[in-house]
Amino acid sequence: GQQLNQSPQSMFIQEGEDVSMNCTSSSIFNTWLWYKQDPGEGPVLLIALYKAGELTSNGRLTAQFGITRKDSFLNISASIPSDVGIYFCAGQRGNKLVFGAGTILRVKS
Amino acid sequence: DGGITQSPKYLFRKEGQNVTLSCEQNLNHDAMYWYRQDPGQGLRLIYYSQIVNDFQKGDIAEGYSVSREKKESFPLTVTSAQKNPTAFYLCASSGRPRTGVGNQPQHFGDGTRLSIL
């Protein structure tokens, strides 16, 4: 099945730095979602984007739905140790989700 | 608390054995889903159900079966035909589409890790 192109694959950043990751697709999606997964747990929804061009924030997290509807980015400002984990983008079409392979975030304290 | 409960947390399968993973939700969601997660990969859809007594194959349904006899429950059976069952299995659910917004986001349980003995 189709997967999204998510980058970077992993990041190792200093605490307090800003982080940026993105997803691209060759197909259009109606909704973009960003999830965070901690080890041994299920993904938790961070942000949902419903309209092309939409920019949405959730605390230190900001995500945008690309104008072409084929891409999205997630920014994390002033990273802290609890930001570590795997971040997944997902494009939604109807009831079905297509996931990126994930971005592993590691933070140096 | 409302949520999605998966059990067991860990499961071991012997050769030739069928095993069933449980997923229960009390969110009153119509749609439920099963995903498989392998290391370094995103989630892949196994089966989904949009309403009771109805379900559809996802991208990797071979070797798996499901049932949806109740709105709250969507068990997944990993059959002996699934030759590489070792993975992390995630169940999700979502509510009805909202007017002007579209489909609701999927929310996930905490997963079941299946291993081969």
Side-chain angles (χ1 to χ4, degrees), chain A residues 1-3 9 31 33 35 37 40-43 45 48 50-51 88 92-97 99-102, chain B residues 9 31 33 35 37 40-45 48 50 59 88 90 94 98 101 103-110:
Chain A
Q2 178 193 10
Q3 281 207 327
Q9 189 174 10
T31 302
L33 305 168
Y35 291 88
Q37 185 178 29
E41 298 182 11
L45 181 67
Y50 297 101
K51 294 181 181 178
F88 289 100
Q92 184 164 358
R93 193 181 296 117
N95 247 351
K96 297 179 72 173
L97 291 181
F99 283 85
Chain B
K9 184 71 173 174
Y33 313 81
Y35 293 89
Q37 186 176 27
Q41 297 189 33
L43 282 65
R44 293 183 291 167
L45 183 64
Y48 65 103
Q50 297 188 29
D59 299 320
F88 192 47
L90 287 158
S94 64
R98 290 189 296 172
V101 175
N103 289 286
Q104 294 294 299
Q106 294 178 22
H107 296 269
F108 288 83
D110 277 341

Side-chain angles (χ1 to χ4, degrees), chain A residues 75-96:
Chain A
N75 287 342
I76 305 173
S77 62
S79 56
I80 59 178
S82 62
D83 288 335
V84 299
I86 305 177
Y87 291 79
F88 289 100
C89 63
Q92 184 164 358
R93 193 181 296 117
N95 247 351
K96 297 179 72 173

Side-chain angles (χ1 to χ4, degrees), chain A residues 4-7 20-25 29 31-34 47-49 54 62-75 88-91:
Chain A
L4 304 178
N5 298 313
Q6 185 171 350
S7 65
S20 184
M21 59 192 78
N22 68 82
C23 271
T24 61
S25 171
F29 290 102
T31 302
W32 281 92
L33 305 168
W34 285 92
I47 292 180
L49 302 158
E54 178 181 356
T62 301
Q64 184 158 31
F65 190 147
I67 288 290
T68 64
R69 295 167 64 193
K70 295 181 180 180
D71 63 307
S72 176
F73 72 75
L74 174 70
N75 287 342
F88 289 100
C89 63

Side-chain angles (χ1 to χ4, degrees), chain B residues 60-111:
Chain B
I60 55 166
E62 186 174 351
Y64 301 97
S65 66
V66 293
S67 63
R68 187 85 187 277
E69 297 176 0
K70 297 187 299 180
K71 186 175 185 178
E72 303 80 21
S73 179
F74 191 40
L76 173 74
T77 296
V78 184
T79 74
S80 57
Q82 173 50 246
K83 298 306 179 187
N84 184 24
T86 297
F88 192 47
Y89 290 87
L90 287 158
C91 177
S93 69
S94 64
R96 289 184 182 178
R98 290 189 296 172
T99 303
V101 175
N103 289 286
Q104 294 294 299
Q106 294 178 22
H107 296 269
F108 288 83
D110 277 341

